[in-house]
Amino acid sequence: PADLSCAYPMPAPFTLSNPAVGLGVAGVCGITILLVLIARRIPGPLAGWSCFVLAIAPTLGFVSYSWMLTADKYLYFPSLGLLIVLGSGLAAAWVSLRSAGFARKAGHLLPAIALLAFEARGVRETLRHWTDSLTLYRHMEQVAPRAPAVHGQLGVLLQRAGAHDEAVRQLRLALELE
């Protein structure tokens, strides 16, 4: 994880013509097709991917229930599906190396261990921004500078902290973006 925020505004326009939306849809379709093709040999990744897609479905924009489309908190439960994909892939690799020596098996596990180490480092880096609300919203302002709700809440927090001029600036910016 890098440059994460608690909330992200919806990409504008929210259509397939937007490169971010189009690439996201193409990526999901590509991964799904690949996993369907290998499902006869290794069914675990498709099962995990299905869990992920079903769990993340409420945030795909079909149901509008909030000003934001995505937020970090929406990925906690669906990430279990991704862990199923990773676990089943590692299990399949381990079984295919049944007759291989320990060194070869360890060599296949090193990428997973490296991934876990990078994830742990990323989590520690992300948590650095969660020391208090003002620090968190300052970070969110940098990551999602076009989100009106972020500037509005930052303005409220700055007002409470006594930084009135900056609070007014943030609130005006929120209104402009809205």
Side-chain angles (χ1 to χ4, degrees):
D3 293 330
L4 298 178
S5 174
C6 292
Y8 303 90
M10 291 178 53
F14 191 58
T15 63
L16 290 176
S17 65
N18 183 329
V21 175
L23 287 172
V25 169
V28 168
C29 291
I31 291 170
T32 303
I33 290 168
L34 175 68
L35 293 177
V36 166
L37 292 175
I38 67 167
R40 284 186 165 237
R41 287 192 60 213
I42 310 168
L46 181 60
W49 182 249
S50 299
C51 289
F52 172 75
V53 171
L54 287 173
I56 201 95
T59 67
L60 297 178
F62 301 121
V63 178
S64 180
Y65 57 89
S66 175
W67 63 270
M68 64 181 138
L69 175 67
T70 57
D72 296 347
K73 64 183 176 184
Y74 297 143
L75 194 57
Y76 297 149
F77 178 68
S79 66
L80 293 175
L82 297 178
L83 289 173
I84 292 170
V85 172
L86 179 64
S88 62
L90 285 172
W94 191 264
V95 168
S96 71
L97 295 171
R98 196 175 302 183
S99 62
F102 177 77
R104 188 164 175 191
K105 285 182 180 181
H108 279 77
L109 284 179
L110 286 178
I113 293 168
L115 177 65
L116 289 173
F118 284 125
E119 283 295 319
R121 183 176 180 272
V123 167
R124 290 183 61 89
E125 179 67 23
T126 299
L127 289 178
R128 179 174 63 87
H129 303 291
W130 286 75
T131 55
D132 57 51
S133 295
L134 192 55
T135 303
L136 178 62
Y137 273 88
R138 288 266 193 219
H139 174 69
M140 288 172 61
E141 177 189 27
Q142 292 174 350
V143 176
R146 307 284 307 157
V150 170
H151 291 284
Q153 185 60 35
L154 184 55
V156 170
L157 292 169
L158 288 165
Q159 177 67 28
R160 288 181 188 158
H164 305 295
D165 291 339
E166 191 177 0
V168 169
R169 187 180 62 78
Q170 288 292 333
L171 292 169
R172 284 188 177 147
L173 181 56
L175 288 173
E176 287 174 23
L177 291 171
E178 190 66 41

